[in-house]
Amino acid sequence: MEPIDTQEQQAVMTIALLAAFADGRNEDQERAELRRVGEALGSSLNMAALVQDVLLKRTSLATAIEAVKSPELRRLAYELAVGVCDADGLRNESETRFLADLGQRLGLDQPTIVG
């Protein structure tokens, strides 16, 4: 797999942020998971700007997904979103719906999405 460029890093992080806010809350465990995701993706991310873009609806899930090109990176984005949703130990109905929609939009197969 090619190195992840800055636009793809931002898109994957945006997806993770949207996952964190899918239930209308942002728990401490989700914040900690988001920090881990950001660190793993690279130090070039401007987290404050990405959070603002998500909260002020200056970006969308569709825009983020469009920037994630490879199947491997799409799978990574999905798995990171699952990790964020599950970080607080309880996946609720709105998070489950978000993840199902995300998996479909990313073009993942059903067994991948169910997990």
Side-chain angles (χ1 to χ4, degrees):
M1 189 166 108
E2 297 291 318
I4 302 172
D5 68 29
T6 302
Q7 183 179 0
E8 289 173 319
Q9 288 175 348
Q10 290 174 347
V12 171
M13 192 66 217
T14 297
I15 291 169
L17 286 164
L18 289 164
F21 295 118
D23 61 359
R25 300 187 321 259
N26 189 357
E27 307 291 338
D28 288 340
Q29 299 94 329
E30 290 175 340
R31 284 189 192 98
E33 186 63 20
L34 285 170
R35 277 192 293 279
R36 283 191 288 277
V37 169
E39 290 168 5
L41 289 174
S43 60
S44 65
L45 292 173
N46 182 339
M47 288 297 295
L50 290 174
V51 170
Q52 281 184 355
D53 288 347
V54 168
L55 289 176
L56 298 176
K57 300 187 187 320
R58 293 189 292 222
T59 191
S60 68
L61 184 58
T63 301
I65 288 171
E66 189 176 307
V68 181
K69 303 296 185 202
S70 74
E72 297 87 0
L73 196 54
R74 286 175 171 251
R75 175 69 188 260
L76 175 64
Y78 180 79
E79 293 300 333
L80 292 174
V82 169
V84 170
C85 286
D86 290 349
D88 60 3
L90 176 67
R91 186 188 305 176
N92 65 30
E93 191 175 320
S94 58
E95 290 169 325
T96 299
R97 278 194 310 269
F98 173 84
L99 291 172
D101 180 51
L102 175 63
Q104 286 184 321
R105 289 182 183 205
L106 288 170
L108 302 178
D109 58 14
Q110 199 60 33
T112 301
I113 296 170
V114 173

Short mmCIF file of all heavy atoms in Angstrom, two decimals, residues 73-99:
data_model
loop_
_atom_site.label_atom_id
_atom_site.label_comp_id
_atom_site.label_asym_id
_atom_site.label_seq_id
_atom_site.Cartn_x
_atom_site.Cartn_y
_atom_site.Cartn_z
N LEU A 73 -7.33 1.39 2.50
CA LEU A 73 -7.54 2.58 3.31
C LEU A 73 -9.01 2.73 3.71
O LEU A 73 -9.32 3.17 4.81
CB LEU A 73 -7.06 3.83 2.55
CG LEU A 73 -6.87 5.09 3.38
CD1 LEU A 73 -5.95 4.82 4.57
CD2 LEU A 73 -6.33 6.20 2.52
N ARG A 74 -9.91 2.30 2.84
CA ARG A 74 -11.34 2.32 3.19
C ARG A 74 -11.60 1.36 4.36
O ARG A 74 -12.34 1.69 5.28
CB ARG A 74 -12.19 1.95 1.97
CG ARG A 74 -12.26 3.07 0.97
CD ARG A 74 -12.99 2.71 -0.31
NE ARG A 74 -13.17 3.92 -1.09
CZ ARG A 74 -14.33 4.54 -1.27
NH1 ARG A 74 -15.42 4.03 -0.76
NH2 ARG A 74 -14.40 5.64 -1.97
N ARG A 75 -10.98 0.21 4.32
CA ARG A 75 -11.13 -0.76 5.42
C ARG A 75 -10.53 -0.19 6.71
O ARG A 75 -11.12 -0.31 7.79
CB ARG A 75 -10.44 -2.07 5.04
CG ARG A 75 -10.42 -3.12 6.13
CD ARG A 75 -11.84 -3.65 6.40
NE ARG A 75 -11.87 -4.51 7.55
CZ ARG A 75 -11.86 -5.82 7.52
NH1 ARG A 75 -11.82 -6.46 6.37
NH2 ARG A 75 -11.91 -6.50 8.64
N LEU A 76 -9.38 0.45 6.60
CA LEU A 76 -8.76 1.07 7.76
C LEU A 76 -9.66 2.15 8.35
O LEU A 76 -9.87 2.20 9.57
CB LEU A 76 -7.40 1.68 7.39
CG LEU A 76 -6.70 2.46 8.51
CD1 LEU A 76 -6.34 1.55 9.68
CD2 LEU A 76 -5.47 3.17 7.97
N ALA A 77 -10.23 2.99 7.52
CA ALA A 77 -11.13 4.05 7.99
C ALA A 77 -12.31 3.45 8.74
O ALA A 77 -12.71 3.95 9.81
CB ALA A 77 -11.62 4.90 6.82
N TYR A 78 -12.86 2.37 8.20
CA TYR A 78 -14.00 1.71 8.86
C TYR A 78 -13.58 1.14 10.21
O TYR A 78 -14.26 1.35 11.22
CB TYR A 78 -14.57 0.61 7.96
CG TYR A 78 -15.74 -0.08 8.61
CD1 TYR A 78 -17.00 0.51 8.59
CD2 TYR A 78 -15.59 -1.30 9.25
CE1 TYR A 78 -18.08 -0.11 9.21
CE2 TYR A 78 -16.66 -1.92 9.87
CZ TYR A 78 -17.90 -1.32 9.84
OH TYR A 78 -18.97 -1.92 10.46
N GLU A 79 -12.47 0.43 10.24
CA GLU A 79 -12.02 -0.20 11.49
C GLU A 79 -11.70 0.85 12.56
O GLU A 79 -11.99 0.64 13.75
CB GLU A 79 -10.81 -1.10 11.24
CG GLU A 79 -11.12 -2.32 10.39
CD GLU A 79 -12.17 -3.24 10.98
OE1 GLU A 79 -12.32 -3.28 12.22
OE2 GLU A 79 -12.86 -3.93 10.21
N LEU A 80 -11.12 1.97 12.16
CA LEU A 80 -10.84 3.04 13.12
C LEU A 80 -12.14 3.64 13.65
O LEU A 80 -12.25 3.94 14.84
CB LEU A 80 -9.95 4.11 12.49
CG LEU A 80 -8.53 3.67 12.15
CD1 LEU A 80 -7.79 4.77 11.39
CD2 LEU A 80 -7.76 3.26 13.40
N ALA A 81 -13.14 3.78 12.79
CA ALA A 81 -14.44 4.30 13.22
C ALA A 81 -15.09 3.34 14.21
O ALA A 81 -15.68 3.77 15.22
CB ALA A 81 -15.35 4.53 12.01
N VAL A 82 -14.99 2.04 13.96
CA VAL A 82 -15.52 1.04 14.90
C VAL A 82 -14.83 1.19 16.25
O VAL A 82 -15.48 1.19 17.30
CB VAL A 82 -15.35 -0.40 14.35
CG1 VAL A 82 -15.64 -1.44 15.43
CG2 VAL A 82 -16.25 -0.62 13.15
N GLY A 83 -13.52 1.33 16.23
CA GLY A 83 -12.77 1.49 17.47
C GLY A 83 -13.19 2.71 18.26
O GLY A 83 -13.30 2.66 19.49
N VAL A 84 -13.45 3.80 17.57
CA VAL A 84 -13.90 5.02 18.25
C VAL A 84 -15.29 4.81 18.84
O VAL A 84 -15.54 5.15 20.00
CB VAL A 84 -13.88 6.22 17.28
CG1 VAL A 84 -14.57 7.43 17.90
CG2 VAL A 84 -12.44 6.57 16.91
N CYS A 85 -16.20 4.23 18.06
CA CYS A 85 -17.56 3.99 18.56
C CYS A 85 -17.57 3.05 19.76
O CYS A 85 -18.37 3.21 20.68
CB CYS A 85 -18.46 3.43 17.46
SG CYS A 85 -18.95 4.64 16.22
N ASP A 86 -16.69 2.07 19.75
CA ASP A 86 -16.66 1.06 20.82
C ASP A 86 -15.76 1.45 22.00
O ASP A 86 -15.71 0.74 23.00
CB ASP A 86 -16.18 -0.28 20.26
CG ASP A 86 -17.19 -0.92 19.33
OD1 ASP A 86 -18.35 -0.45 19.27
OD2 ASP A 86 -16.83 -1.90 18.66
N ALA A 87 -15.07 2.58 21.90
CA ALA A 87 -14.10 2.96 22.93
C ALA A 87 -14.72 3.12 24.31
O ALA A 87 -14.08 2.84 25.32
CB ALA A 87 -13.38 4.25 22.53
N ASP A 88 -15.97 3.55 24.37
CA ASP A 88 -16.61 3.74 25.67
C ASP A 88 -17.29 2.47 26.17
O ASP A 88 -17.96 2.48 27.20
CB ASP A 88 -17.60 4.91 25.65
CG ASP A 88 -18.72 4.74 24.65
OD1 ASP A 88 -18.80 3.68 23.98
OD2 ASP A 88 -19.53 5.67 24.51
N GLY A 89 -17.11 1.38 25.43
CA GLY A 89 -17.61 0.08 25.88
C GLY A 89 -19.07 -0.20 25.55
O GLY A 89 -19.58 -1.25 25.89
N LEU A 90 -19.73 0.74 24.91
CA LEU A 90 -21.14 0.54 24.61
C LEU A 90 -21.46 1.16 23.26
O LEU A 90 -21.37 2.38 23.10
CB LEU A 90 -22.01 1.20 25.70
CG LEU A 90 -23.51 1.16 25.47
CD1 LEU A 90 -24.02 -0.28 25.55
CD2 LEU A 90 -24.21 2.02 26.53
N ARG A 91 -21.81 0.31 22.30
CA ARG A 91 -22.21 0.81 20.99
C ARG A 91 -23.73 0.93 20.99
O ARG A 91 -24.44 -0.06 21.10
CB ARG A 91 -21.76 -0.13 19.88
CG ARG A 91 -22.03 0.45 18.49
CD ARG A 91 -21.77 -0.51 17.38
NE ARG A 91 -20.42 -1.07 17.39
CZ ARG A 91 -20.03 -1.99 16.53
NH1 ARG A 91 -20.84 -2.47 15.62
NH2 ARG A 91 -18.80 -2.47 16.60
N ASN A 92 -24.23 2.15 20.84
CA ASN A 92 -25.68 2.33 20.86
C ASN A 92 -26.26 2.29 19.45
O ASN A 92 -25.53 2.13 18.47
CB ASN A 92 -26.06 3.62 21.61
CG ASN A 92 -25.56 4.86 20.92
OD1 ASN A 92 -25.42 4.92 19.71
ND2 ASN A 92 -25.27 5.89 21.71
N GLU A 93 -27.56 2.47 19.36
CA GLU A 93 -28.26 2.32 18.09
C GLU A 93 -27.80 3.34 17.04
O GLU A 93 -27.62 3.00 15.87
CB GLU A 93 -29.77 2.48 18.32
CG GLU A 93 -30.61 2.10 17.13
CD GLU A 93 -32.10 2.15 17.46
OE1 GLU A 93 -32.50 1.74 18.57
OE2 GLU A 93 -32.86 2.60 16.58
N SER A 94 -27.57 4.58 17.45
CA SER A 94 -27.14 5.58 16.47
C SER A 94 -25.73 5.29 15.95
O SER A 94 -25.44 5.50 14.77
CB SER A 94 -27.24 6.99 17.05
OG SER A 94 -26.46 7.13 18.20
N GLU A 95 -24.86 4.77 16.81
CA GLU A 95 -23.52 4.39 16.36
C GLU A 95 -23.59 3.18 15.42
O GLU A 95 -22.87 3.14 14.42
CB GLU A 95 -22.63 4.09 17.56
CG GLU A 95 -22.27 5.32 18.36
CD GLU A 95 -21.60 5.01 19.68
OE1 GLU A 95 -21.96 3.99 20.32
OE2 GLU A 95 -20.72 5.78 20.08
N THR A 96 -24.44 2.22 15.74
CA THR A 96 -24.62 1.05 14.88
C THR A 96 -25.11 1.47 13.50
O THR A 96 -24.61 0.99 12.48
CB THR A 96 -25.58 0.05 15.53
OG1 THR A 96 -25.02 -0.37 16.79
CG2 THR A 96 -25.81 -1.17 14.65
N ARG A 97 -26.08 2.39 13.46
CA ARG A 97 -26.59 2.89 12.17
C ARG A 97 -25.49 3.63 11.40
O ARG A 97 -25.34 3.45 10.19
CB ARG A 97 -27.78 3.83 12.38
CG ARG A 97 -29.10 3.12 12.59
CD ARG A 97 -30.29 4.06 12.45
NE ARG A 97 -30.16 5.26 13.25
CZ ARG A 97 -30.58 5.40 14.50
NH1 ARG A 97 -31.19 4.41 15.10
NH2 ARG A 97 -30.43 6.54 15.14
N PHE A 98 -24.72 4.46 12.11
CA PHE A 98 -23.63 5.19 11.48
C PHE A 98 -22.63 4.22 10.84
O PHE A 98 -22.24 4.39 9.69
CB PHE A 98 -22.91 6.09 12.49
CG PHE A 98 -21.68 6.74 11.92
CD1 PHE A 98 -21.78 7.92 11.20
CD2 PHE A 98 -20.42 6.17 12.09
CE1 PHE A 98 -20.65 8.51 10.65
CE2 PHE A 98 -19.29 6.76 11.55
CZ PHE A 98 -19.40 7.93 10.82
N LEU A 99 -22.25 3.19 11.60
CA LEU A 99 -21.26 2.24 11.09
C LEU A 99 -21.79 1.44 9.91
O LEU A 99 -21.06 1.17 8.95
CB LEU A 99 -20.78 1.31 12.21
CG LEU A 99 -19.94 1.99 13.29
CD1 LEU A 99 -19.71 1.04 14.45
CD2 LEU A 99 -18.63 2.52 12.72
#
